[in-house]
Amino acid sequence: SVYDRRIEFDLDDGVVFNGVGFKTNEVSATFVVLCRDEELYEMLDTIQNIEDRFNHAYGYDYVFLNDKQFSRRFMEHVVSLVNKNSRISFGKVPRHHWLYPETIDIEFAHQQRSKMEAMGVLYGGSESYRHMCRYFSGFFYKHPLVQDYQYYWRLEPGTKVLCDVQYDIFVHMLNNKKKYGFVISLFEYRATIPTLWSHFRDFLSLHPELKSLGMLPFVENDDVARSYNLCHFWSNLEIADFSLFRNPVYEQFFEHLEAQGGFFYERWGDAPVHTLAVSMLLEPSEVWFIDDLGYSHEPYTMCPKQLDSHLTNRCVCDLPWNLLILISAFIGSFAAQNIALDFEILRLVLS
Ligand code: GDP
Ligand code: MN
């Protein structure tokens, strides 16, 4: 049984299955997953993929978080798939990280959800989605089970990496001084963030000491209005340094946003929140467009464009098809949101 291979601890913060081998990893890093017990089979699919494509050679750890308790069944199935050197932790989100903060008018939040649902906004009517986005904006990096790690790779059930990763991606982050890695960037739905940008601008003007604004052109329209161009890193896969979030400026930024109520009265996603933080706190050289991984999360796929690496890394994606989807996505957002595509900005970030 899985127990033969594991030393198991029941801690206040969750259940920990210790690895059995000696680790030789140069950096301390973990996969982080927030998911629900019902998502077990999508989760197993994703873990098997990540293990086969990457982690079988490294034995990095996993931390699974949930607002409810994980079942024994969930934990055992997950443990059975993972590298035996990995430590696998299953934790519960602290109640006060998931519940409404006291400042929120719950009745008003409910009305706003109904309105957004009627407008047809994606997840506009969902309460749990808002808790999830707020959790990834201000809390996941505070969970006791992730405190000992410097880097994380966020994973979601149902997603897949499409090529082998034949190098240690976390050591690459360290050696190249990368703090935030992404695979896909997209336009955010304007209706989910009507006031986010103005609160971001307010925060910037309250903090003239912020000097590292080299990524600002990625998010800011190059016009008189200096409005948000809606670009954001798709945060369902991110490989990042926890220090981006574990610092006083980010904490003040989160509290500034939290005080506006927009996680509940609007539907602020963690993706635009993380992206604005990156644009405010990192230099372009610290941001990494991970272009050799290949990644799929419905409805989008990212396929590496270096065709020779398709063979050496055993990629399973079709470039022309992927380009077609990308182009139609661009045209779609262009038409829907009526914004100018700034190729200079894209080139800046993708180079
Ligand atoms: P989408 O990618 O924006 O469509 O959002 P998802 O539904 O995939 O949710 C993002 C991540 O948060 C996934 O890993 C989900 O499993 C997880 N998630 C979303 N809502 C909840 C929730 O209410 N409880 C828990 N435990 N996980 C959630
Ligand atoms: Mn998802």
Side-chain angles (χ1 to χ4, degrees):
S1 92
V2 293
Y3 300 114
D4 300 338
R5 318 158 44 202
R6 303 283 157 184
I7 308 161
E8 186 190 344
F9 298 98
D10 254 305
L11 304 174
D12 289 346
D13 305 317
V15 181
V16 175
F17 293 80
N18 237 351
V20 294
F22 296 103
K23 295 250 202 174
T24 53
N25 298 333
E26 279 173 55
V27 296
S28 103
T30 184
F31 294 97
V32 174
V33 180
L34 175 83
C35 71
R36 293 166 281 224
D37 219 71
E38 311 85 89
E39 292 172 296
L40 173 61
Y41 287 99
E42 292 93 320
M43 195 69 251
L44 294 180
D45 216 12
T46 297
I47 294 171
Q48 191 226 2
N49 170 257
I50 275 291
E51 288 291 319
D52 290 359
R53 291 295 198 179
F54 171 71
N55 201 45
H56 68 94
Y58 300 101
Y60 281 108
D61 295 350
Y62 286 77
V63 175
F64 292 87
L65 302 173
N66 188 350
D67 58 308
K68 307 199 176 65
Q69 202 74 45
F70 283 114
S71 64
R72 267 344 275 189
R73 180 165 163 272
F74 184 97
M75 295 191 276
E76 288 174 5
H77 274 79
V78 165
V79 169
S80 74
L81 283 189
V82 174
N83 188 314
K84 65 182 180 356
N85 293 325
S86 303
R87 163 186 282 228
I88 309 160
S89 315
F90 298 89
K92 219 177 143 187
V93 169
R95 276 175 64 79
H96 63 284
H97 287 179
W98 198 269
L99 294 179
Y100 284 103
E102 276 176 13
T103 48
I104 292 297
D105 177 341
I106 294 179
E107 185 47 38
F108 182 58
H110 178 72
Q111 290 166 13
Q112 292 295 96
R113 285 202 301 279
S114 307
K115 253 191 232 166
M116 287 178 78
E117 181 157 38
M119 284 162 60
V121 175
L122 188 67
Y123 296 112
S126 170
E127 187 177 34
S128 66
Y129 193 81
R130 287 174 170 77
H131 287 292
M132 181 275 287
C133 291
R134 174 173 169 265
Y135 186 69
F136 274 117
S137 299
F139 300 101
F140 79 102
Y141 52 92
K142 296 173 185 156
H143 197 282
L145 289 171
V146 302
Q147 289 317 300
D148 292 341
Y149 298 105
Q150 182 184 357
Y151 297 100
Y152 69 91
W153 176 334
R154 176 174 160 192
L155 282 179
E156 274 195 15
T159 62
K160 282 217 164 93
V161 160
L162 305 176
C163 305
D164 286 351
V165 187
Q166 306 196 49
Y167 59 96
D168 189 326
I169 215 157
F170 296 112
V171 169
H172 181 93
M173 297 279 290
L174 179 74
N175 290 344
N176 294 281
K177 300 193 169 60
K178 299 295 182 189
K179 298 252 169 77
Y180 190 89
F182 70 98
V183 287
I184 289 177
S185 68
L186 289 171
F187 295 112
E188 182 56 296
Y189 298 99
R190 197 184 284 287
T192 65
I193 48 163
T195 67
L196 178 64
W197 180 255
S198 71
H199 296 308
F200 171 66
R201 299 254 40 144
D202 290 348
F203 183 80
L204 287 186
S205 58
L206 289 170
H207 291 268
E209 78 280 8
L210 280 176
K211 294 199 195 68
S212 169
L213 293 169
M215 281 295 291
L216 212 54
F218 177 65
V219 288
E220 194 176 64
N221 275 324
D222 188 14
D223 57 10
V224 212
R226 300 265 155 209
S227 50
Y228 185 23
N229 61 18
L230 304 176
C231 280
H232 66 289
F233 305 122
W234 218 22
S235 61
N236 47 67
L237 187 156
E238 54 189 6
I239 304 180
D241 186 331
F242 273 120
S243 70
L244 169 62
F245 301 105
R246 292 178 185 147
N247 77 68
V249 183
Y250 184 80
E251 205 49 44
Q252 286 166 24
F253 179 53
F254 175 69
E255 276 161 24
H256 177 85
L257 296 184
E258 175 92 310
Q260 319 302 330
F263 290 108
F264 296 104
Y265 303 149
E266 298 181 6
R267 205 226 66 194
W268 296 349
D270 54 288
V273 171
H274 286 195
T275 303
L276 295 183
V278 165
S279 77
M280 162 175 85
L281 298 170
L282 299 186
E283 296 295 339
S285 66
E286 295 172 309
V287 180
W288 179 25
F289 170 44
I290 310 168
D291 62 354
D292 56 356
L293 199 63
Y295 177 64
S296 74
H297 173 296
E298 286 293 316
Y300 297 118
T301 296
M302 187 284 188
C303 190
K305 65 177 190 293
Q306 301 83 352
L307 283 172
D308 50 341
S309 74
H310 277 224
L311 296 180
T312 49
N313 295 334
R314 306 190 311 147
C315 295
V316 290
C317 54
D318 185 353
L319 193 58
W321 174 241
N322 180 54
L323 273 178
L324 209 71
I325 293 178
L326 253 183
I327 290 165
S328 56
F330 272 136
I331 294 170
S333 358
F334 189 85
Q337 321 228 25
N338 189 28
I339 46 173
L341 233 193
D342 194 335
F343 285 106
E344 278 310 310
I345 290 168
L346 274 177
R347 214 174 296 143
L348 171 86
V349 172
L350 304 188
S351 64

